[in-house]
Amino acid sequence: MQIVRGGGLSGPAPVAADRGAARRPRLMVWSAADPQGEQDVRRSLRRWLRARGESGFAQVAQAWGQAEPGPVRGAMVAADCAEALALLGEPGPSARAAQVRQVGTAPPPVVLLLPGQGAQRPRMARGLYAWDPVFTRAADEVLGLAGRGAREDWLAEPAARTRRDAFGAERAARIHHSLVQLFAVDYALARLLVGWGVRPAALLGQGIGELVAAVLADVMALEDAVRLLALLAEEAAALAPGGMLVVAAGVEEVRGQLTDGVAVSALNGPAQTVLASPGHALADTADRLTGAGYECLPVRTEAAYHTPHLADACARVAERLPVTVLRPPRLPLYSPSVGARLPVDAAQDRLHWTGLAATPVRLRDALDALFADGDWACVETGPGPGLGALVRRHPAAARTFSALRARPGSGADDQRAALSAAAGLWLSGHRLDFEAIRSTG
């Protein structure tokens, strides 16, 4: 039987209790050679927890914070002894359970999903800032390049943000902050996972997320991507305000309901289409669709992205953007803007990148191309599981994880979500850098 480090009768020396990290979620993992051995290891973990109790929970979590990669694996994320025992099968109110899975000889390769406009929300991923050092450095790098105010706006309490907007923050600054903060969270979450030992084999970015993918794949320098976003914000702010609308229907169902000026912005799948338009035309279309029985949801945005409405703005961005070095992708890029794997010549075409905001999104086509190339473990590195939820609807999708939860929560909720994504990858057969994971907090 292959027993985790710290999981059997012998283990590492006790460490000092971490009293300042009470209620901090922790990843605990174990493995064994067969199902019976895994049950024995789990029983050993229960004995450790019962013997040390709440005051020793941090010590147990530290000892069980890494494991040798065996074929039968278990994992859980818990914040205290009572929760851990409940997950391990002790009597209690929890309906959840620690996950156990037998892995194959070769885990599925990882593709990172990088969402775009509409995914952002106030204080997104705030709980990971100053918790994980790699995330913190990456976010600071992006927001530092963005200039004054972007970082402060992201970290501000909701009440402070409301007061600032009441005094009339410039629209260009709001758009810029929205774009660059979303970029920063996508980028920093991806860097966090790489820092934890995850080795992506491909990237799929949607909207702004595709620009993040270009940086992660070493196509474009981070400085050039952030500069592009600043120019896009200026040009978008000079246009009439616009909006976007998610409709729970296929594109052919909604075409006949569109008001003049409304364009199809994204083809996300057979049961989801995104529309966009400047002015009041989108509201009229929403009323018409709602009256016809379709479910509609507005997107958090101030511009009609991925429509011809932004074509001139994108052309001006291309004119204003300084000479940018573009390199062949270091990783495969699956591009919803082309609906396929991005060709090398397109990756090195600056008009592809400057024109993203005006190009309709063909997510379902990109997913068809992705899954035609094999089985994947899909990990969403963005403000929530929205893109991952669309991926899960694809008939070929089998393993999809999100590094952040759907709704805003506490810092511990953000940390729990990131650790849970790592647990999912461990259970899928991937190796992790447990020392890096234990360095958080």
Side-chain angles (χ1 to χ4, degrees), residues 73-382:
R73 302 185 180 191
M76 66 180 180
V77 177
D80 56 34
C81 187
E83 181 184 14
L85 286 171
L87 290 170
L88 289 167
E90 292 281 324
S94 176
R96 297 178 297 135
Q99 298 183 66
V100 176
R101 185 177 301 160
Q102 187 157 348
V103 302
T105 55
V110 173
V111 56
L112 298 185
L113 309 175
L114 304 147
Q117 294 91 328
Q120 67 269 27
R121 50 180 167 79
R123 293 175 62 81
M124 53 190 172
R126 174 63 183 84
L128 305 181
Y129 188 79
W131 176 73
D132 181 84
V134 173
F135 179 94
T136 305
R137 285 195 300 270
D140 280 343
E141 187 178 9
V142 175
L143 297 172
L145 290 169
R148 184 176 179 180
R151 179 178 176 274
E152 292 76 12
D153 179 72
W154 175 50
L155 299 178
E157 295 295 337
R161 184 179 293 105
T162 300
R163 288 195 299 271
R164 186 206 65 230
D165 289 346
F167 284 98
E170 293 183 2
R171 182 165 176 257
R174 289 201 310 272
I175 293 176
H176 181 226
H177 289 177
S178 175
L179 295 177
V180 78
Q181 288 164 9
L182 174 60
F183 185 103
V185 169
D186 282 8
Y187 177 76
L189 271 170
R191 291 296 189 199
L192 175 149
L193 289 177
V194 171
W196 287 2
V198 178
R199 297 293 176 260
L203 305 167
L204 187 152
Q206 185 174 22
I208 291 299
E210 189 167 345
L211 196 62
V212 178
V215 175
L216 294 172
D218 202 29
V219 172
M220 182 185 302
L222 179 63
E223 295 85 350
D224 291 330
V226 175
R227 186 179 298 115
L228 192 160
L229 289 178
L231 294 174
L232 177 60
E234 289 181 17
E235 297 295 343
L239 301 174
M244 301 174 71
L245 184 74
V246 178
V247 185
V251 65
E252 296 305 325
E253 294 181 71
V254 303
R255 282 195 194 278
Q257 306 284 345
L258 302 187
T259 307
D260 289 345
V262 176
V264 174
S265 172
L267 303 170
N268 286 340
Q272 189 179 107
T273 304
V274 182
L275 308 176
S277 173
H280 299 290
L282 192 62
D284 296 339
T285 296
D287 291 341
R288 186 179 299 181
L289 288 166
T290 302
Y294 292 102
E295 183 180 355
C296 301
L297 184 66
V299 178
R300 302 181 190 95
T301 182
E302 292 194 41
Y305 292 109
H306 306 297
T307 70
H309 179 60
L310 265 76
D312 289 344
C314 288
R316 288 191 291 272
V317 170
E319 293 172 358
R320 297 176 59 192
L321 186 69
V323 174
T324 302
V325 176
L326 298 173
R327 294 170 288 271
R330 186 174 50 83
L331 292 172
L333 299 178
Y334 290 86
S335 166
S337 63
V338 301
R341 179 170 169 172
L342 189 66
V344 173
D345 58 347
Q348 295 183 268
D349 181 356
R350 62 187 270 121
L351 293 181
H352 172 79
W353 303 109
T354 58
L356 282 177
T359 305
V361 170
R362 295 158 51 200
L363 177 62
R364 184 56 181 257
D365 291 342
L367 292 177
D368 286 344
L370 175 72
F371 290 114
D373 288 343
D375 184 24
W376 299 88
C378 304
V379 186
E380 181 166 7
T381 59

Side-chain angles (χ1 to χ4, degrees), residues 4-6 27 29-30 61-68 434-435 438:
V4 299
R5 175 181 158 188
L27 173 64
V29 294
W30 58 93
Q62 176 96 345
W64 288 76
Q66 60 184 339
E68 295 298 325
F434 291 108
E435 290 295 335
R438 292 198 304 176

